[in-house]
């Protein structure tokens, strides 16, 4: 390997990229979160309606299809998307983690089959199709949509966590804990769950993005929210007819949803990179390079000692 490639893969260059990625992810995540959490407090009372799809006239981002102020609709429409997505992600892990750890730590094959095989059946159904099928039976509200999206994400999350937990449960340390009489809870949470933290962190960022996409798509199709509700996804749906006349009513809420997804992924990737990056010893590279040399000198002397002892 050339010196240029070694320099490109050095830990110092990897660490130099982390602050920039962290700052970018924090900014992308903070903007939609602040709008979603503080927007309804600062939105104020609705003003007089103007003409549809116009700009100016006291409206910073123009008006939507109903003549309402787009900026005020943005302030009011983020909380539902963020709260439903967060609630669905947390609920999915609350259901998936006990199932995955129980299947990974059990020695009974029938119990593992009983826990995991029904999830495979649910995994075969497309997510959006499941949402539409449930919506045809009854109209779920915000809480119903969060629970539905959580149940849709349980099979995938449980299979991924079960695979990581099974690898950790097969280690000799787990058998030693069992022989010491440790409880199932201590083994599952104290050792196996800690071994799966990196996998869970990586999956949480990707799953949050998928949940946001599913929640926004469901709201775009009118599932889980009222047709006249202030919601970022609903804004994209209702104002798409005036995209080329007044694009801010469509582009800005869509960009906020994209920023929320990208910020979550960037922060998760940065945390994983910092956790897995190699760390140099305090003495610097020279002290770290001297240890192998001393070790090699001891190894090189061993044949002489062996030959002398054989004589």
């Amino acid at each position: 390997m050339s010196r240029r490639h070694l320099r490109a893969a050095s830990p110092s260059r990897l660490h130099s990229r982390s602050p920039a990625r962290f700052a970018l992810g924090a900014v992308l995540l903070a903007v939609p979160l602040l709008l979603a959490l503080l927007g309804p407090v600062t939105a104020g009372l609705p003003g007089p309606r103007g003409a549809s799809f116009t700009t100016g006239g006291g409206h910073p981002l123009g008006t939507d299809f109903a003549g309402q102020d787009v900026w005020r609709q943005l302030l009011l429409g983020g909380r539902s998307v963020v709260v439903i997505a967060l609630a669905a992600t947390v609920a999915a892990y609350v259901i998936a983690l006990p199932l995955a750890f129980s299947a990974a730590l059990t020695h009974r094959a029938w119990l593992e089959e009983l826990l995991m095989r029904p999830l495979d059946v649910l995994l075969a159904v497309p997510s959006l199709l499941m949402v539409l099928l449930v919506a045809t039976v009854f109209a779920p509200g915000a809480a119903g949509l969060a629970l539905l999206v959580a149940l849709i994400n349980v099979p995938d999350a449980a299979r991924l966590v079960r695979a990581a937990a099974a690898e950790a449960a097969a280690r000799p340390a787990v058998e030693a804990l069992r022989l010491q009489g440790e409880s199932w809870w201590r083994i599952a949470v104290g050792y196996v769950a800690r071994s799966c933290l990196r996998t869970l962190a990586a999956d949480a960022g990707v799953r949050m993005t998928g949940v946001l996409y599913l929640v926004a798509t469901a709201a775009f199709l009118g599932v889980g929210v009222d047709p006249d509700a202030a919601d970022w996804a609903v804004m994209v749906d209702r104002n798409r007819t005036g995209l080329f006349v007044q694009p801010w009513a469509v582009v800005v809420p869509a960009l906020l949803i994209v920023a929320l997804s990208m910020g979550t992924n960037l922060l998760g990737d940065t945390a994983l990179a910092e956790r897995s990056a190699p760390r140099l010893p305090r003495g610097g590279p020279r002290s770290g390079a001297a240890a192998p040399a001393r070790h090699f000198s001891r190894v090189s002397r061993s044949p002489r000692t062996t030959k002398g002892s054989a004589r």
Side-chain angles (χ1 to χ4, degrees), residues 291-308:
R294 291 195 298 268
H295 177 71
F296 180 77
S297 62
R298 293 177 183 176
V299 174
S300 61
R301 293 172 186 171
S302 59
R304 298 183 181 178
T305 306
T306 306
K307 188 182 294 185

Side-chain angles (χ1 to χ4, degrees), residues 89 91-97 99-101 116 119 123 150-164 199-200 203-204 207:
T89 304
Y93 282 112
V94 168
I95 300 173
L97 289 180
L99 293 176
F101 289 148
M116 301 305 296
L119 300 181
L123 193 62
L151 292 177
I152 290 173
N153 282 269
V154 164
D156 193 18
R159 286 175 61 88
L160 189 143
V161 176
R162 185 258 171 198
T199 304
L200 288 174
D203 181 66
R207 194 158 307 281

Side-chain angles (χ1 to χ4, degrees), residues 8-42:
S10 61
S12 60
R13 292 178 65 89
L14 292 177
H15 281 290
S16 64
R17 299 176 185 175
S18 298
R21 293 180 61 186
F22 179 82
L24 179 60
V27 170
L28 289 176
L29 186 61
V31 172
L33 280 182
L34 289 177
L35 286 177
L37 297 178
L38 302 180
V41 181
T42 60

Side-chain angles (χ1 to χ4, degrees), residues 5 14 134 177 285:
H5 290 85
L14 292 177
V134 174
L177 291 174

